[in-house]
């Protein structure tokens, strides 16, 4: 990918918490108009990496490069101001508040009434309806509390909001986790919409079935390191599944389990190797 | 995109049902309070129609409702912002004593004395807010401590200075007549005296409701109470919002404190104690959730009217006034049950619709 400059890049980034190494020498490039899937099991370092990308953590070592320039982010607000928006799993919407209030929270449109300024509610409601309509979410009633909407709809609203407010980089933290097939489909639909609008989408997931249909670029993390960094044409869905599931460890686990099935009763369950493999993967 | 990707079918128009009248009525925050107000009004209209259905009756009801309403509005805003204030009742006493002592003992004009009392109230509100937001302790505990500190100081300081537990003679201080005319006087309407505190209450209700529903600060209050962390992630200054709300309840306490001393011409050390719960009850009857992020200023005002109707109605009906608080307790429980039921119904309807939309 030498012909294109990445929009966002981290070079040789490490993060330590005391003596614990959460992330070690991770380099990754994220391009505009592409979906980069960040995959990995629990504890692989996915959340540490996105917290660095979104400005929550500062890396212990390494560089953060945005639009070709080295930057240091001290807070999520600074990242947001630069156009790096993060949609957290649950932390982006207020359930008891209406759709339009949520959509414009922190960025309220205002209208002047003589010397005083009021909330431009008419504009907010109409904009929410049309912006979400363009994203394929039909809002009958903008006054509806967000808490009464489905999980997929909520994620979609949060994504639409980031796009509307001019995000260049959209970081999505497990947006499809805990969603049913249709709901997850709705979210994937919006990920593609964001990509088509030229955003660099960073899609964090541990589900290769959700990553494969939308991803242009796959980064697999494992125990704080980059295990693999592939373009879409460099691997197959089966490869991705295998990488995600733990590759060699999975094969080993299968053999161990097969052996366990054949072992005589009484000594079964005492195979320490199975325990080891499970805890390692 | 590969063939196994998920396609989203557009929702046909006929599936878009209009928002029904019943559902929008259920979604009104104030529904429980309104039902309660109508029920209480009908009850006393049946039991004591003579006094109840007169202009005098209305004036009598609105008198206690006005000062309570002013407090309930401020308390409702704070509860929507996700916090409690138990020092509101005692604050009406403290501010009255500060203004009373400065004017009668130090010989100040009442106006600068009232101004110092306002600064004192703002300071206490600020300390309450900072303690809650900095320490992360529940506001219930922090303001309970403030309540007891002020309660003790009210009696302690007053007795030290006056050797009594009240400050009298405020009506002899300079500036009293103007203060009385502005804060609490009688206004003759159809030959019946209405308190001017009613005008304050209405103006404050309109203003507070406008801020809550029609400005960005209102959205910030809902967000700070609904989920302070999510609000902060989106750039809402949730901490400052909460501190400002504590200062608002303290200011309301000051205003009602001033109304009391110009009306009674004296300040009493025990003034307001126990009232903090009445304010919370009025706000809760009006639809405020104890967990924050939900409620209404108009609802809190209706809650105050229910309180006023109960207080006056029991006298009109010739019942034993000892039962007033029991009546209030029943009202609170009934209103909260109605609020809870309607909110759940509205949510069930919406959730079913959301399921129909996305699950097909």
């Amino acid at each position: 990918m030498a012909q294109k400059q990445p929009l966002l890049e981290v070079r040789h980034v490490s993060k330590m918490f005391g003596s614990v190494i959460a992330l070690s020498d991770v380099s990754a490039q994220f391009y505009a108009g592409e979906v980069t899937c960040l995959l990995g099991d629990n504890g692989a370092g996915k959340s540490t990496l996105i917290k660095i990308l979104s400005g929550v953590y500062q890396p212990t070592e390494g560089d953060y490069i945005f639009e070709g320039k080295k930057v240091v982010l001290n807070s999520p607000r600074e990242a947001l101001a630069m156009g790096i928006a993060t949609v957290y799993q649950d932390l982006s919407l207020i359930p008891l508040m209406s759709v339009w209030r949520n959509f414009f929270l922190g960025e309220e449109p205002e209208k002047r009434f003589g010397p005083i300024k009021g909330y431009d509610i008419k504009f907010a409601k109409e904009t929410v309806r049309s912006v979400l309509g363009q994203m394929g979410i039909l809002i009958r009633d903008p006054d509806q509390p967000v808490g009464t909407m489905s999980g997929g709809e909520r994620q979609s609203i949060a994504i639409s909001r980031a796009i509307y407010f001019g995000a260049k980089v959209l970081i999505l933290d497990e947006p499809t986790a805990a969603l049913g097939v249709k709901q997850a489909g709705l979210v994937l639909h919006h990920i593609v919409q964001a990509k088509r609008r030229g955003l660099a989408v960073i899609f964090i997931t541990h589900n290769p079935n959700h990553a494969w249909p939308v991803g242009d670029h796959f980064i697999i993390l494992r125990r704080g390191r980059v295990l693999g960094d592939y373009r879409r044409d460099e691997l197959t869905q089966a490869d991705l599944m295998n990488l995600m599931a733990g590759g060699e460890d999975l094969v080993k686990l299968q053999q161990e389990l097969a052996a366990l099935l054949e072992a005589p009763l009484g000594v079964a369950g005492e195979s320490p190797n199975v325990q080891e493999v499970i805890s390692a993967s | 995109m590969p063939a196994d990707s998920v396609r989203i079918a557009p929702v046909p128009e006929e599936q878009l049902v209009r928002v029904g009248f019943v559902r929008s009525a259920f979604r009104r925050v104030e529904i429980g309070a309104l039902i309660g107000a109508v029920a209480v009004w009908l009850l006393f209209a049946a039991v004591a129609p003579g006094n109840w259905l007169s202009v005098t009756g209305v004036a009598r009801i609105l008198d206690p409702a006005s000062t309570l309403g002013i407090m309930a509005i401020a308390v409702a805003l704070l509860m929507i912002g996700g916090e409690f204030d138990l020092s509101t009742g005692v604050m009406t006493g403290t501010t009255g004593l500060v203004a009373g002592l400065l004017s009668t003992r130090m010989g100040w004009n009442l106006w600068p004395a009232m101004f110092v009392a306002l600064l004192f109230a703002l300071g206490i509100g600020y300390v309450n807010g900072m303690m809650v937001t900095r320490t992360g302790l529940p506001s219930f505990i922090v303001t309970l401590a403030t309540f007891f500190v002020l309660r003790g100081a009210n009696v302690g300081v007053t007795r030290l200075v006056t050797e009594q537990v009240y400050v009298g003679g405020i009506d002899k201080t300079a500036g009293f007549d103007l203060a009385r005319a502005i804060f609490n006087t009688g206004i003759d309407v159809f030959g019946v005296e209405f308190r001017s505190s009613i005008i304050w209450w209405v103006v404050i209700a309109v203003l507070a409701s406008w801020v809550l529903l029609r400005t960005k600060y209102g959205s910030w209050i809902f967000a700070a109470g609904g989920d302070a962390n999510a609000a902060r992630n989106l750039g809402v200054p949730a901490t400052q919002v909460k501190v400002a709300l504590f200062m608002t309840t303290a200011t309301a306490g000051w205003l009602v404190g001033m109304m009391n001393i110009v009306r009674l011409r004296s300040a009493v050390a025990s003034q307001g104690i126990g009232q903090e719960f009445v304010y919370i009850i009025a706000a809760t009857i009006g639809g405020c959730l104890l967990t924050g992020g939900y409620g209404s200023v108009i609802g809190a005002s209706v809650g105050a009217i229910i309180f006023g109707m109960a207080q006056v109605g029991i006298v009109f009906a010739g019942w034993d006034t000892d039962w007033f608080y029991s009546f209030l307790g029943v009202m609170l429980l009934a209103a909260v049950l109605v609020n809870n039921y309607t909110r759940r119904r509205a949510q069930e309807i919406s959730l079913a619709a959301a399921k129909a939309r996305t699950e097909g």
Side-chain angles (χ1 to χ4, degrees), chain A residues 111-120, chain B residues 210 214:
Chain A
K111 203 163 71 178
R112 208 163 256 291
F113 300 97
I116 44 173
K117 273 195 211 161
Y119 200 136
D120 194 346
Chain B
W210 186 77
R214 308 257 161 205

Side-chain angles (χ1 to χ4, degrees), chain B residues 67-90:
Chain B
T67 49
L68 169 62
I70 291 167
M71 295 306 294
I73 288 166
V75 167
L77 290 175
L78 180 68
M79 284 175 74
I80 295 167
E83 303 294 344
F84 267 108
D85 190 352
L86 294 181
S87 66
T88 47
V90 77

Side-chain angles (χ1 to χ4, degrees), chain A residues 8-222:
Chain A
L8 176 63
E9 186 179 1
V10 283
R11 280 187 203 150
H12 309 295
V13 158
S14 299
K15 179 71 188 172
M16 324 252 242
F17 295 101
S19 61
V20 179
I21 303 167
L23 220 53
S24 162
D25 193 26
V26 169
S27 294
Q29 291 88 39
F30 306 99
Y31 297 92
E34 278 193 5
V35 177
T36 305
C37 298
L38 208 56
L39 298 117
D41 219 332
N42 296 333
K46 281 179 306 190
S47 47
T48 307
L49 182 55
I50 59 160
K51 279 182 178 158
I52 287 172
L53 293 174
S54 63
V56 177
Y57 293 158
Q58 286 71 50
T60 315
E61 274 172 44
D63 293 335
Y64 187 112
I65 294 141
F66 182 66
E67 292 182 322
K69 283 193 277 289
K70 200 179 142 180
V71 292
V72 176
L73 295 177
N74 294 307
S75 74
R77 278 305 288 170
E78 287 183 27
L80 201 57
M82 282 170 33
I84 302 166
T86 309
V87 175
Y88 295 98
Q89 225 173 319
D90 295 317
L91 283 176
S92 303
L93 298 168
I94 318 262
L96 284 167
M97 273 169 62
S98 65
V99 178
W100 61 271
R101 278 191 193 275
N102 261 296
F103 194 90
F104 285 100
L105 189 58
E107 305 267 3
E108 290 83 1
E110 291 193 298
K111 203 163 71 178
R112 208 163 256 291
F113 300 97
I116 44 173
K117 273 195 211 161
Y119 200 136
D120 194 346
I121 294 172
K122 189 163 170 271
F123 172 82
K125 287 187 183 178
E126 281 169 5
T127 307
V128 159
R129 209 192 291 261
S130 74
V131 168
L132 294 182
Q134 283 164 25
M135 296 287 284
I137 310 163
L138 289 156
I139 297 291
R140 289 166 304 155
D141 176 13
D143 281 319
Q144 186 177 356
V146 159
T148 63
M149 306 185 82
S150 70
E153 285 177 322
R154 273 181 281 184
Q155 284 290 339
S156 305
I157 290 170
I159 293 170
S160 308
R161 177 170 66 187
I163 296 172
Y164 178 80
F165 287 110
K168 295 173 185 165
V169 178
L170 180 60
I171 304 171
L172 303 170
D173 181 18
E174 301 266 7
T176 57
L179 293 186
V181 176
K182 278 212 170 180
Q183 301 265 317
L186 189 69
V187 175
L188 296 180
H189 187 82
H190 293 120
I191 288 174
V192 173
Q193 295 244 27
K195 167 191 157 171
R196 284 187 52 203
R197 281 159 202 255
L199 277 80
V201 181
I202 304 173
F203 174 26
I204 292 94
T205 180
H206 58 249
N207 189 335
N209 290 324
H210 291 162
W212 184 253
V214 295
D216 298 298
H217 176 192
F218 303 90
I219 297 173
I220 295 109
L221 287 178
R222 187 108 180 267

Side-chain angles (χ1 to χ4, degrees), chain B residues 154-278:
Chain B
N154 281 1
V155 182
V157 173
T158 309
R159 206 192 296 275
L160 209 65
V161 177
T162 68
E163 292 171 344
Q164 287 167 319
V165 288
Y166 78 99
V167 181
I170 292 173
D171 53 334
K172 294 180 186 69
T173 62
F176 174 80
D177 291 334
L178 181 63
R180 187 175 165 91
I182 288 177
F183 286 112
N184 205 347
T185 187
I187 299 169
D188 193 89
V189 183
F190 306 122
V192 177
E193 190 191 77
F194 283 83
R195 303 306 301 182
S196 65
S197 54
I198 298 167
I199 300 171
W200 278 94
W201 172 39
V202 172
V203 170
I204 289 170
V206 170
L207 204 68
S209 200
W210 186 77
V211 169
L212 185 64
L213 301 175
R214 308 257 161 205
T215 72
K216 67 177 178 186
Y217 305 109
S219 260
W220 293 0
I221 293 171
F222 279 113
D227 187 338
N229 275 331
R232 282 192 196 99
N233 279 347
L234 293 168
V236 173
T239 303
Q240 286 92 319
V241 167
K242 290 188 179 209
V243 173
L245 290 172
F246 276 109
M247 292 170 80
T248 305
T249 55
T251 304
W254 168 81
L255 180 59
V256 171
M258 297 308 103
M259 288 174 170
N260 285 338
I261 61 167
V262 297
R263 184 170 184 181
L264 303 172
R265 296 160 207 271
S266 61
V268 187
S270 62
Q271 178 71 42
I273 290 169
Q275 292 293 298
E276 56 283 337
F277 284 111
V278 177

